[in-house]
Amino acid sequence: AQSVTQLGSHVSVSEGALVLLRCNYSSSVPPYLFWYVQYPNQGLQLLLKYTSAATLVKGINGFEAEFKKSETSFHLTKPSAHMSDAAEYFCAGGDNFNKFYFGSGTKLNVKP
Amino acid sequence: ETGVTQSPTHLIKTRGQQVTLRCSSQSGHNTVSWYQQALGQGPQFIFQYYREEENGRGNFPPRFSGLQFPNYSSELNVNALELDDSALYLCASSPATTGGVTDTQYFGPGTRLTVL
């Protein structure tokens, strides 16, 4: 079965520091990959998506992710963390059979 | 523009009962997907409806069923509730042209279901 794995259920960074959230996918065919953010008591919001175009994908709020087939990875980065980035982040994949699969999530804490 | 809305916000049921959750998609969106998010976990894909037809299904038993109406709103029905069905149920709509996974999904705030 296809899946995505997020390494680290909790990540803590200082304000202004680099944010790196890790995601690896398991797929026998090129997947479609997404990053979502979920703030407390809210639904998920799409940050960015990879659909086999450019391997470096830029999203909202200064986030970007790079698709690396050789590493089966799609890590999310942001050069400088803001307090408002504190939330839970989910990596997700989709296949050609209209099935979606989410990772277990990474909670990002931003320290002042 | 009205976003995705879900009702009710919270619901408490007992084991063995049946439940219906409702979702109103964002204006102009013809695809709706449903997810189950257990506490501390990522969302699990239940199924997707595109133009009133089921268009994809995750690994959920048949007691999880759905409907999409001509106005593209949707219902999720769960029969014979089990304790493990307790979760946040999320609905997402997308302005799909093909009903595929690449279309951006817009999520509602969810319905919190508790099964006692």
Side-chain angles (χ1 to χ4, degrees):
Chain A
Q2 298 179 1
S3 65
V4 292
T5 302
Q6 291 184 241
L7 301 177
S9 58
H10 290 81
V11 170
S12 186
V13 300
S14 298
E15 191 173 20
L18 171 71
V19 176
L20 171 61
L21 305 181
R22 301 177 186 274
C23 173
N24 288 89
Y25 67 90
S26 169
S27 174
S28 60
V29 297
Y32 305 107
L33 294 166
F34 312 81
W35 275 100
Y36 286 86
V37 61
Q38 187 176 33
Y39 296 99
N41 301 315
Q42 294 187 28
L44 283 77
Q45 180 183 11
L46 180 69
L47 284 175
L48 49 81
K49 63 179 177 181
Y50 168 75
T51 58
S52 73
T55 56
L56 181 62
V57 182
K58 294 186 182 299
I60 62 171
N61 301 338
F63 285 94
E64 63 181 38
E66 186 173 6
F67 174 75
K68 291 187 176 181
K69 187 176 180 180
S70 61
E71 299 177 7
T72 61
S73 69
F74 190 59
H75 301 333
L76 181 71
T77 60
K78 181 174 181 178
S80 176
H82 294 166
M83 296 298 293
S84 60
D85 294 327
E88 189 160 20
Y89 292 80
F90 292 94
C91 181
D95 64 23
N96 289 321
F97 301 99
N98 295 330
K99 290 187 178 181
F100 296 86
Y101 35 99
F102 278 76
S104 55
T106 298
K107 288 186 179 177
L108 175 66
N109 178 46
V110 181
K111 299 175 291 185
Chain B
E1 184 179 79
T2 305
V4 178
T5 59
Q6 294 186 242
S7 62
T9 305
H10 295 84
L11 199 54
I12 298 174
K13 291 286 189 178
T14 56
R15 193 169 50 182
Q17 285 189 312
Q18 178 266 343
V19 69
T20 297
L21 309 181
R22 294 178 175 82
C23 172
S24 292
S25 59
Q26 191 164 320
S27 177
H29 291 188
N30 57 14
T31 299
V32 173
S33 300
W34 285 92
Y35 296 84
Q36 180 195 68
Q37 186 176 19
L39 199 61
Q41 297 183 23
Q44 298 293 313
F45 175 62
I46 303 175
F47 44 55
Q48 181 188 79
Y49 278 81
Y50 172 60
R51 294 185 175 178
E52 304 177 56
E53 297 287 333
E54 188 176 289
N55 191 45
R57 189 177 181 95
N59 297 323
F60 280 80
R63 60 188 185 86
F64 285 79
S65 63
L67 282 173
Q68 187 180 32
F69 299 100
N71 66 354
Y72 303 128
S73 65
S74 177
E75 288 183 353
L76 165 64
N77 297 289
V78 187
N79 293 321
L81 284 167
E82 300 177 359
L83 297 180
D84 286 348
D85 296 333
S86 294
L88 180 68
Y89 287 84
L90 296 167
C91 166
S93 72
S94 56
T97 55
T98 62
V101 301
T102 59
D103 299 299
T104 298
Q105 296 184 83
Y106 296 81
F107 283 80
T111 293
R112 175 74 62 187
L113 172 65
T114 301
V115 182
L116 303 176

